[in-house]
Amino acid sequence: MMNKDLPRWATAFVMPVLNLLSAMLVTALVIHLLGESPTESLAILVNSAVVNPEGLSYTLFYASTFIFTGLAVSIAMQAGLFNIGAEGQMYVGGLGLTWAMLAFDSSLPAWALIPLGVLGAAVFGALWSFLPGYLQAKRGSHVVVTTIMFNFIASQLMNFLIVKYMIPAGEQNPASRAFAAAAEMPRLNQWFPVLGETPFNISFFLAIIALVIYGVVVSRSAWGFKLRATGLNQHAAHYAGIRISKMIIIVMLISGALAGLGAVNSIMGSTHYLSLNFVGGAGFIGIAIALMGRQHPVGIFLSAVLFGALTQGGFDLSLEKQNIPPETVILIQGLIILFCGAMENLYAPAIAKVLNLRK
């Protein structure tokens, strides 16, 4: 029995869970070698990220951003493209959002300003992904190479623009001025005080809406069928009448727009200004989420929440356990990427053998 012949429940649920458990076991071994108890460390992480209401709100706040970057990578994967440029696309999306806010936050009400900021983030993220998509479709330049390059270009471009033009006079912090109150995403603690003073905001619901739209479009629409056909076999899709180059460009535009939307939660929902390196690796985490979630909306959501919990719980874990450095969270993320990405089929032969024995 080949991997492709395994039942859906095995590839979509059992294998990701086994891969995640493998990553956690290796992490437990590392924590033990650092001189700390793995069970105590896990208890601290779970309590900080899930059990505590304030911690849970931080977990879902981080997950809101990760859902968008996970969707950005996932929809490109559906077309057979590996867009690893979500980091740069989210960065530039933040620029579009900020320019809209700086231009209109003193003249427009919140009901017009917030949609304008969302639109600015999506448009600038899409524009940043256009050239890699065009080069892949028309010139055969591999999207992995071009999106890596564009991540570095975005970083240097943002550094130049923020430091040169956006720092207010007399300020030293490399960031734009703060937006007006009308540009702030409403926070959920206004209606649920138990969540505490956290930046958890309505961007979470925007992320859920994006997940639902993604799921419906990819699996329930004619365009989604063409998208998946392109990813499975471009030659067959071409002979079926699908314009491959057009599909690649459109998918990359959508992917970039989704990555750009990740900036909405981070900027309009939290800092309320554009700062250097505000992305903080969220674009790369999106790769792990897409791999672990198998490009399925439910899997993307659960993976985003998991990485949000690791981000939130890792802070408290490093504070309470002196021997565990903050970089441990990066180690865990790397192990998840290793087992769910490069070694995603590690347990496939064993599962196939068990299924064959049951026949």
Side-chain angles (χ1 to χ4, degrees), residues 61-336:
F61 166 72
Y62 296 126
S64 302
T65 298
F66 297 158
I67 287 172
F68 281 116
T69 57
L71 283 172
V73 178
S74 293
I75 196 163
M77 282 185 170
Q78 294 284 359
L81 303 171
F82 195 22
N83 175 22
I84 57 177
E87 187 87 357
Q89 291 150 15
M90 179 176 166
Y91 214 166
V92 176
L95 177 65
L97 181 158
T98 300
W99 278 352
M101 295 301 98
L102 296 181
F104 299 104
D105 66 347
S106 61
S107 58
L108 291 180
W111 63 265
L113 196 59
I114 290 175
L116 182 63
V118 172
L119 179 63
V123 169
F124 271 61
L127 289 175
W128 196 250
S129 66
F130 169 75
L131 191 54
Y134 176 84
L135 291 174
Q136 170 78 53
K138 300 295 187 178
R139 296 291 182 265
S141 301
H142 204 290
V143 72
V144 170
V145 176
T146 53
T147 50
I148 288 175
M149 292 166 54
F150 269 58
N151 281 338
F152 287 102
I153 296 171
S155 177
Q156 295 306 310
L157 175 65
M158 294 293 288
N159 183 74
F160 170 75
L161 291 175
I162 292 174
V163 173
K164 184 72 173 177
Y165 297 108
M166 304 184 75
I167 300 177
E171 296 288 336
Q172 298 296 321
N173 184 35
S176 71
R177 70 164 174 83
F179 307 153
E184 298 178 5
M185 276 288 192
R187 295 188 174 182
L188 295 182
N189 56 18
Q190 298 176 17
W191 303 285
F192 306 99
V194 70
L195 297 176
E197 293 298 321
T198 68
F200 185 37
N201 60 86
I202 63 170
S203 297
F204 177 73
F205 299 114
L206 294 179
I208 298 300
I209 292 171
L211 273 172
V212 173
I213 294 174
Y214 166 85
V216 171
V217 169
V218 169
S219 61
R220 302 294 180 183
S221 72
W223 186 85
F225 175 79
K226 294 178 181 178
L227 170 71
R228 289 180 283 117
T230 302
L232 291 171
N233 191 319
Q234 286 193 8
H235 296 292
H238 171 73
Y239 283 111
I242 299 172
R243 294 178 59 186
I244 303 301
S245 59
K246 180 180 178 181
M247 178 63 72
I248 289 174
I249 293 173
I250 290 174
V251 168
M252 285 300 295
L253 287 171
I254 296 172
S255 179
L258 287 167
L261 288 173
V264 173
N265 182 56
S266 300
I267 297 179
M268 294 178 67
S270 179
T271 62
H272 308 130
Y273 58 80
L274 177 67
S275 60
L276 284 178
N277 302 318
F278 79 89
V279 181
F284 296 118
I285 291 175
I287 299 172
I289 289 169
L291 291 171
M292 186 174 175
R294 303 296 172 114
Q295 301 95 59
H296 190 280
V298 175
I300 293 169
F301 174 78
L302 294 176
S303 300
V305 171
L306 170 65
F307 276 87
L310 289 175
T311 303
Q312 167 58 21
F315 294 145
D316 285 354
L317 182 60
S318 61
L319 289 175
E320 295 195 31
K321 294 292 185 180
Q322 297 294 323
N323 293 331
I324 300 179
E327 292 77 15
T328 303
V329 174
I330 300 176
L331 169 67
I332 299 173
Q333 292 172 354
L335 288 171
I336 292 174

